[in-house]
Amino acid sequence: MRPLTIAEYEAIARARLHSAVWDYYSAGADDEVTLRENRAAFKRIRLRPRALASVGDVDLRTTLLGAEVSMPIGVAPTAIHGAACDEGECATAQAAGALNALMIASTESTRPLEEVAQSASGPLWFQLYFSQQTHALAERLVRRAEAAGYRALVVTVDSPRWGRKERSIRSEASYDWPPSGNFADEADEADEVADDDEGQDDAAAITWDDIAWLQSITSLPIVLKGILTAEDAARAVAQGVAGIVVSNHGGRQLDGVMPTIEALPEVVAAVAGRCEVYLDGGVRRGADALKALALGARAVFVGRPILWGLAADGAAGAQHTLELLRDELALTMTLAGRPTLASLDASLIQCLG
Ligand SMILES: Cc1cc2nc3c(=O)[nH]c(=O)nc-3n(C[C@H](O)[C@H](O)[C@H](O)COP(=O)(O)O)c2cc1C
């Protein structure tokens, strides 16, 4: 029997994966308060459906920075897909491509970004990690991403240091992790090793100046991932970014920050339509996506569900997780009497308190 829900994929993945891989994929930082809250906050939100609307067929097609996609649900960048299935990120790209959904490929993938692009038939964005010491390495990655056809750069801005994923710290040494896919080149390896030797803790974390530097070396649109406040959203827009992902890294960085669905309204208000706003963190149901879209997100991205799908059934499993979310979103829109993306707005959400 094929799984019926994302939660069923989670249970299969948990049973199949090496415990160290499960811990790494599932962990949040510290007490995992934000990890849990990402889910709980979605469940607290109540919907205000409209009756007797003309619902007909639901059309989920939209554009993300100009790229046409079949649905406002895409793949968040997550590291090390090769620990979930042998084909790693190539399987993920195949899955997203089969549905013409957007995939954001991580710097920390186990397949080179060029191979991921060759496996893709849908739009791809490239997620970039860098520090002040690794501009040269970042520039090489940007050139490679440009040449391979990636359409935007997603800079993760919530990770000046790594959060402490305590469950994963305990178990990570018990697994033989697949090597990085993007740093096989000698110069890049040297840069990465230099960065590692100093340790991320000694590397100077990027600031707004480094975003300006990135803008000066590429014409690809830049998306900042990990913005949670109106202040930072306003600053990002002033600096000319093309998009913002409201994200707390799936609860893996600063524990105790607000769940993303609660941060979304202030970011949307501060941006006021001047760039695209997306959300990730805890999306496990079509209704979660619906709530984020109603509160102003243009799309949502899923992290762990894709890893669970890969672990359960490779590319087919990852594709099916996206299909489940897509079909649930279409059904909830129909039941809510809001059959088009354009008809989703905050009046669908009941204000509590
Ligand atoms: C195992 C794992 C690895 C991740 N690796 C990255 C990464 O390499 N780069 C990045 O920007 N975010 C990374 N993230 C964060 C995701 O992009 C995303 O913000 C988060 O997973 C969304 O929450 P969800 O897993 O609840 O859907 C990772 C998350 C997980 C669970």
Side-chain angles (χ1 to χ4, degrees), residues 7-349:
E8 289 183 13
Y9 270 104
E10 178 176 10
I12 294 169
R14 182 174 200 155
R16 288 220 174 146
L17 289 170
H18 187 285
S19 63
V21 177
W22 168 259
D23 286 343
Y24 172 68
Y25 285 168
S26 60
D30 300 356
D31 293 320
E32 303 189 330
V33 172
T34 296
L35 174 70
R36 284 189 296 276
E37 272 294 293
N38 276 348
R39 293 288 309 120
F42 274 119
K43 290 186 193 291
R44 283 195 292 269
I45 295 175
R46 301 285 176 256
L47 296 171
R48 301 178 64 249
R50 298 300 302 272
L52 300 174
S54 170
V55 284
D57 279 348
V58 174
D59 184 359
L60 293 178
R61 285 175 303 171
T62 186
T63 61
L64 301 175
L65 298 182
E68 289 178 12
V69 289
S70 69
M71 60 174 134
I73 301 170
V75 178
T78 54
I80 322 183
H81 293 196
C85 77
D86 288 345
E87 300 76 21
E89 293 76 11
C90 292
T92 316
Q94 238 179 293
L99 300 173
N100 197 36
L102 178 78
M103 170 177 173
I104 309 176
S106 166
T107 293
E108 301 296 340
S109 61
T110 40
R111 292 297 185 108
L113 62 91
E114 292 82 2
E115 273 184 34
V116 178
Q118 276 160 17
S119 307
S121 51
L124 288 173
W125 294 352
F126 184 72
Q127 178 267 329
L128 186 63
Y129 278 132
F130 68 112
S131 70
Q132 290 186 24
Q133 281 89 356
T134 57
H135 277 204
L137 172 59
E139 183 160 358
R140 286 197 289 280
L141 284 170
V142 170
R143 298 291 168 248
R144 288 172 57 191
E146 288 169 343
Y150 287 76
R151 302 189 197 185
L153 296 173
V154 179
V155 183
T156 305
V157 298
D158 58 16
S159 305
R161 303 282 181 271
W162 299 128
R164 286 185 88 233
K165 299 179 286 289
E166 294 165 9
R167 276 198 282 151
S168 182
I169 292 169
R170 293 245 156 68
S171 60
E172 67 187 0
S174 67
Y175 183 72
D176 188 14
W177 295 90
S180 158
N182 277 331
F183 304 111
D185 178 81
E186 269 173 45
D188 288 349
E189 209 155 29
D191 256 4
E192 231 223 343
V193 169
D195 192 32
D196 267 7
D197 281 353
E198 285 159 27
Q200 191 205 18
D201 291 341
D202 299 324
I206 53 169
T207 69
W208 293 102
D209 290 343
D210 300 280
I211 303 300
W213 167 78
L214 191 61
Q215 288 169 315
S216 77
I217 66 149
T218 182
S219 55
L220 285 178
I222 290 173
V223 174
L224 300 187
K225 171 174 179 284
I227 299 277
L228 289 169
T229 63
E231 296 91 315
D232 282 345
R235 174 85 199 247
V237 168
Q239 195 149 333
V241 306
I244 288 173
V245 187
V246 174
S247 172
N248 53 35
H249 217 110
R252 294 161 78 84
Q253 286 294 110
L254 177 59
D255 196 27
V257 297
M258 59 287 231
T260 49
I261 193 65
E262 290 183 7
L264 179 64
E266 73 173 73
V267 171
V268 167
V271 165
R274 292 173 294 166
C275 75
E276 295 189 357
V277 177
Y278 325 104
L279 171 143
D280 74 24
V283 175
R284 303 290 180 267
R285 286 285 190 184
D288 301 334
L290 178 72
K291 290 166 184 174
L293 298 170
L295 289 171
R298 190 169 181 90
V300 298
F301 302 121
V302 286
R304 296 178 183 88
I306 298 296
L307 299 169
W308 300 334
L310 288 175
D313 196 14
Q319 181 176 333
H320 191 219
T321 60
L322 288 168
E323 287 167 344
L324 285 174
L325 290 167
R326 177 197 63 194
D327 294 348
E328 287 181 1
L329 174 60
L331 179 60
T332 50
M333 286 169 66
T334 303
L335 295 175
R338 309 281 187 128
T340 64
L341 294 177
S343 70
L344 301 179
D345 60 27
S347 69
L348 182 53
I349 305 294

